[in-house]
Coordinates of all heavy atoms in Angstrom, one line a residue:
M10 N 31.1 -54.1 74.0 CA 30.3 -52.9 74.1 C 29.0 -52.9 73.3 O 29.0 -53.4 72.2 CB 31.1 -51.6 73.7 CG 31.8 -51.0 74.8 SD 32.6 -49.5 74.1 CE 34.1 -49.5 75.0
E11 N 27.9 -52.5 73.9 CA 26.6 -52.5 73.2 C 26.7 -51.6 72.0 O 27.2 -50.5 71.9 CB 25.7 -51.8 74.2 CG 24.2 -51.7 73.8 CD 23.4 -51.1 74.9 OE1 23.5 -51.4 76.0 OE2 22.6 -50.2 74.4
G12 N 26.1 -52.0 70.9 CA 26.0 -51.2 69.7 C 27.2 -51.3 68.8 O 27.3 -50.6 67.8
G13 N 28.1 -52.2 69.1 CA 29.3 -52.4 68.2 C 30.3 -51.3 68.5 O 30.0 -50.2 69.1
H14 N 31.6 -51.4 68.0 CA 32.6 -50.4 68.3 C 32.3 -49.1 67.7 O 32.7 -48.1 68.2 CB 34.0 -50.9 68.0 CG 34.2 -51.1 66.4 ND1 33.7 -52.1 65.7 CD2 35.0 -50.3 65.6 CE1 34.1 -51.9 64.5 NE2 34.8 -50.8 64.4
E15 N 31.6 -49.0 66.5 CA 31.4 -47.8 65.9 C 30.5 -46.8 66.7 O 30.7 -45.6 66.7 CB 30.6 -48.0 64.5 CG 31.5 -48.4 63.4 CD 32.5 -47.3 62.9 OE1 32.0 -46.1 62.8 OE2 33.7 -47.6 62.7
A16 N 29.5 -47.4 67.4 CA 28.6 -46.6 68.2 C 29.4 -45.8 69.3 O 28.9 -44.9 69.8 CB 27.5 -47.5 68.8
Y17 N 30.4 -46.4 69.8 CA 31.2 -45.8 70.9 C 32.5 -45.1 70.5 O 33.4 -44.9 71.3 CB 31.4 -46.7 72.0 CG 30.1 -47.0 72.8 CD1 29.1 -47.8 72.3 CD2 29.9 -46.3 74.0 CE1 27.9 -47.9 73.1 CE2 28.7 -46.4 74.8 CZ 27.6 -47.2 74.2 OH 26.6 -47.3 74.9
K18 N 32.6 -44.9 69.1 CA 33.9 -44.4 68.6 C 34.3 -43.1 69.3 O 35.5 -42.9 69.5 CB 33.8 -44.2 67.1 CG 35.0 -44.1 66.4 CD 34.6 -44.1 64.8 CE 35.8 -44.0 63.9 NZ 35.4 -44.0 62.6
F19 N 33.4 -42.2 69.7 CA 33.8 -41.0 70.2 C 33.6 -40.9 71.8 O 33.5 -39.8 72.3 CB 33.0 -39.9 69.5 CG 33.2 -39.8 68.0 CD1 32.3 -40.3 67.1 CD2 34.5 -39.4 67.6 CE1 32.5 -40.2 65.8 CE2 34.8 -39.4 66.2 CZ 33.9 -39.8 65.3
V20 N 33.4 -42.1 72.4 CA 33.3 -42.1 73.9 C 32.3 -41.2 74.4 O 32.6 -40.3 75.2 CB 34.6 -42.0 74.6 CG1 34.6 -42.6 76.0 CG2 35.7 -42.6 73.8
P21 N 31.0 -41.2 73.9 CA 30.0 -40.2 74.2 C 29.6 -40.2 75.7 O 29.2 -39.2 76.3 CB 28.8 -40.6 73.4 CG 29.0 -42.0 73.1 CD 30.4 -42.2 72.9
F22 N 29.8 -41.3 76.4 CA 29.4 -41.4 77.8 C 30.5 -41.5 78.8 O 30.3 -41.8 79.9 CB 28.4 -42.5 77.9 CG 27.1 -42.4 77.1 CD1 27.0 -43.1 76.0 CD2 26.2 -41.5 77.4 CE1 25.8 -43.0 75.2 CE2 25.1 -41.3 76.6 CZ 24.8 -42.1 75.6
G23 N 31.7 -41.2 78.3 CA 32.9 -41.4 79.1 C 33.2 -42.9 79.4 O 32.5 -43.8 78.8
L24 N 34.2 -43.1 80.2 CA 34.6 -44.5 80.5 C 34.9 -44.7 82.0 O 35.1 -43.7 82.7 CB 35.8 -44.8 79.7 CG 35.8 -45.1 78.2 CD1 37.1 -45.1 77.6 CD2 34.9 -46.3 77.9
G25 N 34.9 -45.9 82.4 CA 35.4 -46.2 83.8 C 34.3 -45.9 84.9 O 33.1 -45.8 84.6
R26 N 34.9 -45.8 86.1 CA 33.9 -45.6 87.2 C 33.1 -44.4 87.2 O 32.0 -44.4 87.8 CB 34.9 -45.6 88.5 CG 35.5 -46.9 88.9 CD 36.7 -46.6 89.8 NE 36.2 -46.0 91.2 CZ 35.8 -46.7 92.2 NH1 35.8 -48.0 92.2 NH2 35.5 -46.1 93.3
R27 N 33.5 -43.3 86.5 CA 32.7 -42.1 86.5 C 31.9 -42.0 85.2 O 31.4 -40.9 84.8 CB 33.6 -40.8 86.6 CG 34.3 -40.8 87.9 CD 33.4 -40.9 89.2 NE 32.5 -39.9 89.3 CZ 32.6 -38.8 90.0 NH1 33.7 -38.6 90.7 NH2 31.6 -37.9 90.1
A28 N 31.8 -43.1 84.4 CA 31.1 -43.1 83.1 C 29.6 -42.7 83.4 O 29.1 -42.9 84.5 CB 31.2 -44.4 82.4
C29 N 29.0 -42.2 82.4 CA 27.6 -41.8 82.5 C 26.7 -42.9 82.9 O 26.5 -43.9 82.2 CB 27.1 -41.2 81.2 SG 25.4 -40.6 81.3
P30 N 26.0 -42.8 84.1 CA 25.0 -43.8 84.5 C 23.7 -43.8 83.8 O 22.9 -44.7 83.9 CB 24.8 -43.5 86.0 CG 25.1 -42.0 86.2 CD 26.1 -41.7 85.1
G31 N 23.6 -42.7 82.9 CA 22.3 -42.5 82.2 C 22.5 -43.1 80.8 O 21.5 -42.8 80.0
A32 N 23.6 -43.7 80.4 CA 23.8 -44.2 79.1 C 22.7 -45.0 78.6 O 22.3 -44.9 77.4 CB 25.2 -44.8 78.9
G33 N 22.3 -46.0 79.4 CA 21.3 -46.9 78.9 C 20.0 -46.3 78.6 O 19.4 -46.4 77.5
L34 N 19.5 -45.3 79.5 CA 18.3 -44.5 79.3 C 18.5 -43.6 78.1 O 17.6 -43.6 77.2 CB 18.0 -43.6 80.5 CG 16.8 -42.7 80.4 CD1 15.6 -43.5 80.3 CD2 16.8 -41.8 81.7
A35 N 19.6 -43.0 77.9 CA 19.8 -42.1 76.9 C 19.8 -42.8 75.5 O 19.2 -42.4 74.5 CB 21.2 -41.4 77.0
N36 N 20.4 -43.9 75.4 CA 20.4 -44.8 74.2 C 19.0 -45.2 73.7 O 18.7 -45.2 72.6 CB 21.3 -46.0 74.3 CG 22.7 -45.7 74.1 OD1 23.1 -44.9 73.2 ND2 23.6 -46.4 74.8
R37 N 18.1 -45.4 74.7 CA 16.8 -45.9 74.4 C 15.9 -44.6 74.0 O 15.1 -44.7 73.0 CB 16.2 -46.5 75.6 CG 16.6 -48.0 75.8 CD 16.4 -48.5 77.1 NE 16.9 -49.9 77.3 CZ 18.1 -50.2 77.6 NH1 18.9 -49.3 77.8 NH2 18.4 -51.5 77.7
V38 N 16.1 -43.5 74.7 CA 15.3 -42.3 74.5 C 15.6 -41.6 73.2 O 14.8 -41.0 72.5 CB 15.3 -41.4 75.7 CG1 14.6 -40.1 75.5 CG2 14.7 -42.1 76.9
M39 N 17.0 -41.6 72.9 CA 17.4 -40.9 71.6 C 16.6 -41.3 70.4 O 16.2 -40.6 69.6 CB 18.9 -41.1 71.5 CG 19.7 -40.3 72.5 SD 19.6 -38.5 72.2 CE 20.9 -38.1 71.3
G40 N 16.6 -42.7 70.3 CA 15.9 -43.2 69.1 C 14.4 -42.8 69.1 O 13.9 -42.4 68.0
L41 N 13.8 -42.8 70.2 CA 12.4 -42.4 70.3 C 12.2 -40.9 70.0 O 11.3 -40.6 69.2 CB 11.8 -42.7 71.7 CG 11.6 -44.2 72.0 CD1 11.2 -44.3 73.5 CD2 10.4 -44.8 71.2
A42 N 13.1 -40.2 70.5 CA 13.0 -38.7 70.3 C 13.2 -38.4 68.8 O 12.4 -37.6 68.2 CB 14.1 -38.0 71.1
L43 N 14.2 -39.0 68.2 CA 14.5 -38.7 66.8 C 13.3 -39.2 66.0 O 12.9 -38.4 65.0 CB 15.8 -39.4 66.4 CG 16.2 -39.2 65.0 CD1 16.5 -37.8 64.7 CD2 17.5 -40.1 64.7
A44 N 12.8 -40.3 66.2 CA 11.7 -40.9 65.5 C 10.5 -40.0 65.6 O 9.8 -39.8 64.7 CB 11.3 -42.3 66.0
A45 N 10.2 -39.4 66.9 CA 9.0 -38.6 67.0 C 9.2 -37.3 66.1 O 8.2 -36.8 65.6 CB 8.9 -38.3 68.5
L46 N 10.4 -36.7 66.1 CA 10.7 -35.5 65.3 C 10.4 -35.8 63.8 O 9.9 -34.9 63.1 CB 12.1 -35.0 65.6 CG 12.4 -34.4 67.0 CD1 13.9 -34.1 67.1 CD2 11.6 -33.1 67.1
I47 N 10.8 -37.0 63.4 CA 10.7 -37.3 61.9 C 9.2 -37.6 61.7 O 8.7 -37.2 60.6 CB 11.6 -38.5 61.6 CG1 13.0 -38.1 61.7 CG2 11.2 -38.9 60.2 CD1 14.0 -39.2 61.5
Q48 N 8.6 -38.3 62.6 CA 7.2 -38.7 62.4 C 6.2 -37.5 62.4 O 5.2 -37.4 61.7 CB 6.7 -39.8 63.4 CG 5.3 -40.3 63.1 CD 4.9 -41.4 64.2 OE1 5.4 -41.3 65.3 NE2 4.1 -42.3 63.7
C49 N 6.5 -36.6 63.3 CA 5.5 -35.5 63.5 C 5.7 -34.2 62.7 O 4.8 -33.5 62.5 CB 5.6 -35.1 65.0 SG 5.1 -36.4 66.1
F50 N 7.0 -34.0 62.2 CA 7.2 -32.8 61.4 C 7.8 -33.1 60.1 O 8.6 -34.1 59.9 CB 8.2 -32.0 62.3 CG 7.7 -31.5 63.6 CD1 7.9 -32.3 64.7 CD2 6.8 -30.4 63.7 CE1 7.5 -31.9 66.0 CE2 6.3 -30.1 65.0 CZ 6.6 -30.8 66.1
E51 N 7.6 -32.1 59.2 CA 8.3 -32.0 57.9 C 9.5 -31.1 58.1 O 9.3 -30.0 58.5 CB 7.4 -31.6 56.8 CG 6.5 -32.6 56.2 CD 5.4 -32.0 55.3 OE1 5.7 -31.0 54.7 OE2 4.4 -32.7 55.1
W52 N 10.6 -31.5 57.6 CA 11.9 -30.7 57.8 C 12.4 -30.2 56.5 O 12.4 -30.9 55.5 CB 13.0 -31.6 58.5 CG 12.6 -31.9 59.9 CD1 11.9 -33.0 60.3 CD2 12.9 -31.2 61.1 NE1 11.7 -33.0 61.7 CE2 12.3 -31.9 62.2 CE3 13.5 -29.9 61.3 CZ2 12.4 -31.4 63.5 CZ3 13.6 -29.5 62.7 CH2 13.0 -30.2 63.7
E53 N 12.9 -29.0 56.5 CA 13.4 -28.4 55.2 C 14.6 -27.5 55.6 O 14.7 -27.0 56.6 CB 12.4 -27.5 54.5 CG 11.5 -28.3 53.6 CD 10.4 -27.4 53.0 OE1 10.8 -26.3 52.6 OE2 9.3 -27.8 52.9
R54 N 15.6 -27.4 54.6 CA 16.7 -26.5 54.7 C 16.1 -25.1 54.6 O 15.0 -24.9 54.1 CB 17.7 -26.7 53.6 CG 18.4 -27.9 53.8 CD 19.3 -28.2 52.6 NE 18.6 -28.4 51.4 CZ 19.0 -28.9 50.3 NH1 20.3 -29.2 50.2 NH2 18.3 -29.2 49.3
I55 N 16.8 -24.1 55.1 CA 16.3 -22.7 55.0 C 16.6 -22.1 53.7 O 16.0 -21.1 53.3 CB 16.9 -21.8 56.1 CG1 18.4 -21.8 56.1 CG2 16.4 -22.2 57.5 CD1 19.1 -20.8 57.0
S56 N 17.4 -22.7 52.9 CA 17.7 -22.2 51.5 C 18.0 -23.4 50.6 O 18.0 -24.6 51.1 CB 18.7 -21.2 51.4 OG 20.0 -21.9 51.7
E57 N 18.3 -23.2 49.3 CA 18.6 -24.3 48.4 C 20.0 -24.8 48.7 O 20.4 -25.8 48.2 CB 18.6 -23.8 47.0 CG 17.1 -23.7 46.5 CD 16.3 -24.9 46.6 OE1 16.7 -25.9 46.1 OE2 15.2 -24.9 47.2
E58 N 20.8 -23.9 49.4 CA 22.2 -24.3 49.7 C 22.3 -25.6 50.5 O 21.5 -25.9 51.4 CB 22.9 -23.2 50.6 CG 24.1 -22.5 50.0 CD 24.5 -21.4 50.9 OE1 24.0 -20.2 50.7 OE2 25.2 -21.6 51.8
E59 N 23.4 -26.4 50.2 CA 23.7 -27.6 50.9 C 24.0 -27.2 52.3 O 24.5 -26.2 52.6 CB 24.8 -28.3 50.3 CG 24.6 -28.9 48.9 CD 23.9 -30.2 48.9 OE1 24.3 -31.1 49.6 OE2 22.7 -30.3 48.3
V60 N 23.6 -28.1 53.3 CA 24.0 -27.9 54.6 C 25.5 -27.9 54.8 O 26.2 -28.9 54.3 CB 23.3 -29.0 55.6 CG1 23.8 -28.9 57.0 CG2 21.8 -28.8 55.6
D61 N 26.1 -27.0 55.5 CA 27.5 -26.9 55.7 C 27.9 -27.9 56.8 O 27.5 -27.6 58.0 CB 28.0 -25.5 56.0 CG 29.5 -25.3 56.2 OD1 30.2 -26.4 56.2 OD2 29.9 -24.2 56.3
M62 N 28.6 -29.0 56.5 CA 28.9 -30.0 57.5 C 30.3 -29.8 58.1 O 30.8 -30.7 58.8 CB 28.8 -31.4 56.9 CG 27.4 -31.7 56.5 SD 26.2 -31.8 57.8 CE 26.7 -33.2 58.6
S63 N 31.0 -28.6 57.8 CA 32.3 -28.5 58.4 C 32.3 -28.5 59.9 O 31.4 -28.1 60.6 CB 32.8 -27.0 58.0 OG 32.6 -26.8 56.7
Q64 N 33.4 -29.1 60.4 CA 33.5 -29.3 61.8 C 34.1 -28.0 62.5 O 35.2 -27.5 62.0 CB 34.4 -30.5 62.1 CG 34.3 -31.0 63.5 CD 35.2 -32.2 63.7 OE1 35.2 -33.1 62.8 NE2 35.9 -32.3 64.8
G65 N 33.6 -27.6 63.5 CA 34.2 -26.5 64.3 C 35.3 -27.0 65.3 O 35.7 -28.2 65.2
T66 N 35.7 -26.1 66.1 CA 36.8 -26.6 67.1 C 36.1 -26.9 68.5 O 35.1 -26.3 68.8 CB 37.9 -25.5 67.4 OG1 37.1 -24.2 67.6 CG2 38.7 -25.3 66.2
G67 N 36.7 -27.9 69.2 CA 36.2 -28.3 70.5 C 36.1 -29.7 70.6 O 36.1 -30.5 69.5
I68 N 36.0 -30.3 71.8 CA 36.0 -31.8 71.9 C 34.7 -32.4 71.7 O 34.6 -33.7 71.7 CB 36.6 -32.2 73.3 CG1 35.8 -31.6 74.4 CG2 38.0 -31.9 73.4 CD1 36.1 -32.2 75.8
T69 N 33.6 -31.6 71.6 CA 32.3 -32.2 71.4 C 31.8 -32.2 69.9 O 30.7 -32.4 69.6 CB 31.1 -31.5 72.3 OG1 31.2 -30.1 71.9 CG2 31.5 -31.7 73.8
M70 N 32.9 -32.0 69.0 CA 32.6 -32.0 67.6 C 31.5 -31.0 67.1 O 30.5 -31.5 66.5 CB 32.3 -33.4 67.1 CG 33.5 -34.3 67.2 SD 33.2 -35.9 66.5 CE 33.1 -35.4 64.7
P71 N 31.5 -29.7 67.6 CA 30.4 -28.9 67.2 C 30.5 -28.6 65.6 O 31.5 -28.7 65.1 CB 30.7 -27.6 67.9 CG 32.2 -27.7 68.1 CD 32.6 -29.1 68.3
K72 N 29.4 -28.3 65.0 CA 29.4 -27.8 63.6 C 30.0 -26.5 63.6 O 29.8 -25.7 64.5 CB 28.0 -27.8 63.0 CG 27.4 -29.2 62.7 CD 26.0 -29.2 62.5 CE 25.5 -28.3 61.3 NZ 26.2 -28.4 60.0
A73 N 30.8 -26.1 62.5 CA 31.4 -24.8 62.4 C 30.2 -23.7 62.3 O 30.3 -22.7 62.9 CB 32.3 -24.8 61.2
K74 N 29.2 -24.1 61.5 CA 28.1 -23.3 61.3 C 26.9 -24.0 61.9 O 26.5 -25.0 61.4 CB 28.0 -23.0 59.8 CG 27.0 -21.9 59.5 CD 27.1 -21.5 58.0 CE 25.9 -20.6 57.7 NZ 25.2 -21.0 56.5
P75 N 26.3 -23.4 62.9 CA 25.0 -24.1 63.5 C 24.0 -24.4 62.5 O 23.8 -23.6 61.5 CB 24.6 -23.1 64.6 CG 25.7 -22.2 64.9 CD 26.5 -22.1 63.6
L76 N 23.4 -25.6 62.6 CA 22.3 -26.0 61.7 C 21.1 -25.1 61.9 O 20.6 -24.9 63.0 CB 22.0 -27.5 61.9 CG 20.8 -28.0 61.0 CD1 21.2 -28.1 59.6 CD2 20.4 -29.4 61.5
E77 N 20.6 -24.6 60.7 CA 19.2 -23.9 60.8 C 18.3 -24.6 60.0 O 18.7 -25.0 58.8 CB 19.4 -22.5 60.3 CG 20.1 -21.5 61.3 CD 20.0 -20.1 60.7 OE1 18.9 -19.5 60.7 OE2 21.0 -19.6 60.3
A78 N 17.2 -25.0 60.4 CA 16.1 -25.8 59.6 C 14.8 -25.2 59.8 O 14.6 -24.6 60.9 CB 16.3 -27.3 59.9
M79 N 13.9 -25.5 58.9 CA 12.5 -25.2 59.1 C 11.7 -26.4 59.3 O 12.0 -27.5 58.6 CB 12.0 -24.5 57.9 CG 12.6 -23.1 57.7 SD 11.8 -22.2 56.4 CE 12.0 -23.2 55.0
C80 N 10.7 -26.4 60.2 CA 9.9 -27.6 60.3 C 8.4 -27.2 60.4 O 8.1 -26.0 61.0 CB 10.3 -28.4 61.5 SG 10.0 -27.7 63.1
K81 N 7.5 -28.0 60.0 CA 6.1 -27.7 60.2 C 5.5 -29.1 60.4 O 6.0 -30.1 60.0 CB 5.5 -27.1 59.0 CG 5.5 -27.8 57.7 CD 4.8 -27.1 56.6 CE 4.8 -27.9 55.3 NZ 4.4 -27.2 54.1
S82 N 4.5 -29.0 61.3 CA 3.9 -30.3 61.7 C 3.2 -31.0 60.5 O 2.7 -30.3 59.6 CB 2.8 -30.1 62.8 OG 1.8 -29.3 62.3
R83 N 3.3 -32.3 60.4 CA 2.8 -33.0 59.3 C 1.3 -33.0 59.4 O 0.7 -32.9 60.6 CB 3.2 -34.5 59.4 CG 4.7 -34.7 59.0 CD 5.0 -36.2 58.9 NE 6.4 -36.4 58.8 CZ 7.1 -36.3 57.6 NH1 6.5 -35.9 56.5 NH2 8.5 -36.4 57.7
H84 N 0.6 -33.0 58.3 CA -0.9 -32.8 58.3 C -1.5 -33.8 59.2 O -2.4 -33.4 60.0 CB -1.4 -32.9 56.8 CG -2.9 -32.7 56.7 ND1 -3.4 -31.5 57.0 CD2 -3.9 -33.5 56.5 CE1 -4.7 -31.6 56.9 NE2 -5.0 -32.8 56.6
S85 N -1.1 -35.0 59.2 CA -1.7 -36.1 59.9 C -1.5 -35.9 61.4 O -2.2 -36.4 62.2 CB -1.2 -37.4 59.5 OG 0.2 -37.5 59.6
M86 N -0.5 -35.1 61.8 CA -0.2 -34.9 63.1 C -0.8 -33.6 63.8 O -1.0 -33.4 64.9 CB 1.3 -34.8 63.4 CG 2.1 -36.1 63.2 SD 1.7 -37.1 64.6 CE 2.0 -38.7 63.8
S87 N -1.3 -32.7 62.8 CA -1.8 -31.4 63.3 C -2.9 -31.5 64.3 O -2.9 -30.9 65.3 CB -2.3 -30.6 62.0 OG -1.2 -30.4 61.2
T88 N -3.9 -32.4 64.0 CA -5.0 -32.6 65.0 C -4.5 -33.1 66.3 O -4.8 -32.5 67.4 CB -6.0 -33.6 64.4 OG1 -6.1 -33.5 63.0 CG2 -7.3 -33.5 65.1
L89 N -3.6 -34.0 66.2 CA -3.1 -34.7 67.5 C -2.3 -33.5 68.3 O -2.5 -33.4 69.5 CB -2.2 -35.8 67.1 CG -1.5 -36.6 68.3 CD1 -2.6 -37.3 69.1 CD2 -0.5 -37.5 67.7
L90 N -1.4 -32.8 67.6 CA -0.5 -31.9 68.2 C -1.4 -30.7 68.8 O -1.0 -30.1 69.9 CB 0.5 -31.3 67.3 CG 1.6 -32.3 66.9 CD1 2.4 -31.7 65.7 CD2 2.5 -32.6 68.0
S91 N -2.5 -30.4 68.2 CA -3.3 -29.2 68.6 C -4.0 -29.6 70.0 O -4.5 -28.8 70.6 CB -4.3 -28.8 67.6 OG -5.3 -29.9 67.4
Q92 N -4.1 -30.9 70.2 CA -4.7 -31.4 71.5 C -3.8 -31.4 72.7 O -4.2 -31.7 73.7 CB -5.4 -32.7 71.2 CG -6.6 -32.6 70.3 CD -7.1 -34.1 69.8 OE1 -6.4 -35.1 70.2 NE2 -8.1 -34.2 69.0
L93 N -2.5 -31.2 72.4 CA -1.5 -31.4 73.5 C -1.6 -30.1 74.4 O -1.8 -29.0 74.0 CB -0.1 -31.5 72.9 CG 0.1 -32.9 72.2 CD1 1.5 -32.9 71.7 CD2 -0.2 -34.1 73.1
Ligands
HEM10 C1 22.8 -38.4 75.1 C2 22.8 -38.2 76.4 C3 23.9 -38.2 77.4 C4 25.3 -38.1 77.2 C5 26.0 -37.9 75.8 C6 25.9 -38.1 78.4 C7 27.3 -37.9 78.6 C8 28.0 -38.0 79.8 C9 29.3 -37.8 80.0 C10 30.4 -37.7 78.9 C11 29.6 -37.9 81.4 C12 31.0 -37.7 82.1 C13 31.6 -39.2 82.2 C14 33.0 -39.1 82.7 O1 33.2 -38.2 83.6 O2 33.9 -39.9 82.3 C15 28.3 -38.1 82.0 C16 28.2 -38.1 83.4 C17 26.9 -38.3 84.0 N1 25.7 -38.5 83.4 FE1 25.3 -38.4 81.4 N2 25.0 -38.3 79.4 C18 23.8 -38.4 78.8 C19 22.5 -38.6 79.4 C20 22.4 -38.8 80.8 C21 21.1 -39.2 81.4 C22 19.8 -39.5 80.7 C23 21.4 -39.2 82.8 C24 20.4 -39.4 83.9 C25 19.1 -39.8 83.8 C26 22.8 -38.8 82.9 C27 23.4 -38.8 84.1 C28 24.7 -38.6 84.4 C29 25.4 -38.5 85.7 C30 24.7 -38.6 87.0 C31 26.7 -38.4 85.5 C32 27.8 -38.2 86.5 C33 28.5 -39.5 86.8 C34 29.6 -39.4 87.8 O3 30.2 -38.4 87.9 O4 29.9 -40.4 88.5 N3 23.4 -38.7 81.7 N4 27.3 -38.1 81.0

């Protein structure tokens, strides 16, 4: 399997004949999307409190407490973003 066994530990795209046909595209785009969010914005917690990483119930491993974060565009990106 692509990405080693750790990458597919939670079977994110299903298996077999009905497995997700978009897995290849998703794997490529996810890295780009995450990189763009990190490159374009500064991220902060909403308070000094550590982020609560407790797991909620459900098969998609939701967080017990949804993540709330603040972001602002990085200075170097402001000009670029204002032109979009
Ligand atoms: C992170 C992104 C994605 C995740 C986690 C994901 C996950 C899944 C899962 C779990 C299934 C069900 C597989 C099964 O029934 O065993 C599925 C089905 C499907 N996915 Fe995705 N998917 C993603 C992105 C995409 C993209 C980008 C496309 C298309 C461009 C896509 C198209 C489809 C289609 C058409 C099916 C139905 C396949 C069938 O029933 O034969 N998915 N996906």
Side-chain angles (χ1 to χ4, degrees):
M10 270 185 209
E11 184 185 312
H14 71 284
E15 279 295 314
Y17 282 80
K18 200 169 177 179
F19 301 109
V20 201
F22 299 105
L24 287 170
R26 288 163 61 94
R27 302 305 297 266
C29 179
L34 176 65
N36 277 325
R37 285 166 181 81
V38 173
M39 287 293 262
L41 286 173
L43 183 60
L46 287 171
I47 294 169
Q48 185 180 29
C49 298
F50 299 95
E51 278 172 25
W52 293 89
E53 276 177 38
R54 289 174 293 193
I55 54 167
S56 70
E57 287 303 304
E58 235 175 274
E59 293 280 300
V60 173
D61 184 352
M62 295 299 286
S63 314
Q64 191 181 319
T66 49
I68 56 168
T69 55
M70 293 184 66
K72 282 165 63 43
K74 194 171 167 225
L76 175 67
E77 283 185 72
M79 290 191 299
C80 70
K81 62 176 181 192
S82 62
R83 290 189 190 278
H84 185 64
S85 57
M86 288 290 154
S87 297
T88 321
L89 182 68
L90 290 170
S91 67
Q92 291 168 357
L93 296 178

